[in-house]
Amino acid sequence: MSIATKTGDRGITGLMYNRRVSKCHPRVEAYGCVDELNTAIGLARATTTHDFVHANLLSIQSDLVLLMGELATAVEDIARYVKDGYKLVVPEMTAKLDKLIQEIELQKITYKGWATPGASLQSAALDVARTVCRRAERRVCALQESDQLQNLEIIIYLNRLADLLWLFARWVETKAESVANPSQLA
């Protein structure tokens, strides 16, 4: 079987359970943005030299695969999706992000230059992931506003993830600064 199925040549694509929709359908826009987010996080993970960031980004990517599956399922098919053994985004996933945020906030990190990403390749990659996450969040909010989203935890998760990615970028910058100027963070 070829990857080029040609089923999308007329501008339609498939959701779970063989539902066909336009490639510009709000649901496709939402899970497409999360797919971009997953890729941006993959780039951030590939560029980081910090095990703490690397391991947590990999775990988040696993969560995003689950989240995309839920978004790729029409509201009327969610019960079937769950019955078939697929998992939904749950508050415990967001709680893991909250715990990481609290852990980072307990450390002495710098916010110097936070509004101008690019202090390092690693922090810039994390800031790109953060902005893609905010776009994904907006697309999911559009689904919710049009009554096409059953699970509001998805919005909460993406909101918290954007906060965490911002903090990861600042944490990476602080670590780089402390290596370059150890006396500044004493």
Side-chain angles (χ1 to χ4, degrees), residues 93-138:
M93 293 167 61
T94 305
K96 287 189 315 185
L97 301 180
D98 284 329
K99 185 177 178 209
L100 285 168
I101 288 169
Q102 291 170 356
E103 185 177 338
I104 294 168
E105 287 178 332
L106 289 175
Q107 300 178 36
K108 187 175 181 181
I109 59 174
T110 182
Y111 300 112
K112 186 179 92 182
W114 69 267
T116 309
S120 71
L121 178 61
Q122 294 174 42
S123 66
L126 288 159
D127 277 315
V128 168
R130 172 188 52 83
T131 60
V132 174
C133 187
R134 289 292 185 206
R135 181 165 23 101
E137 181 184 10
R138 291 189 301 270

Side-chain angles (χ1 to χ4, degrees), residues 44-56:
R45 185 172 53 85
T47 63
T48 192
T49 57
H50 302 282
D51 291 340
F52 171 68
V53 175
H54 187 278
N56 284 297

Side-chain angles (χ1 to χ4, degrees), residues 14-94:
L15 300 178
M16 291 288 290
Y17 304 107
N18 297 316
R19 292 194 185 269
R20 304 295 290 174
V21 296
S22 167
K23 287 187 176 188
C24 62
H25 187 281
R27 182 166 299 288
V28 177
E29 279 290 326
Y31 72 70
C33 284
V34 176
D35 187 23
E36 290 176 49
L37 170 60
N38 197 12
T39 301
I41 289 175
L43 178 62
R45 185 172 53 85
T47 63
T48 192
T49 57
H50 302 282
D51 291 340
F52 171 68
V53 175
H54 187 278
N56 284 297
L57 291 179
L58 185 58
S59 174
I60 289 164
Q61 285 184 283
S62 294
D63 288 347
L64 290 177
V65 170
L66 187 146
L67 191 150
M68 281 187 286
E70 185 174 346
L71 286 177
T73 306
V75 172
E76 55 269 25
D77 291 325
I78 288 292
R80 180 178 175 190
Y81 183 78
V82 171
K83 184 179 177 196
D84 286 346
Y86 295 104
K87 295 180 181 178
L88 302 178
V89 175
V90 293
E92 291 78 14
M93 293 167 61
T94 305

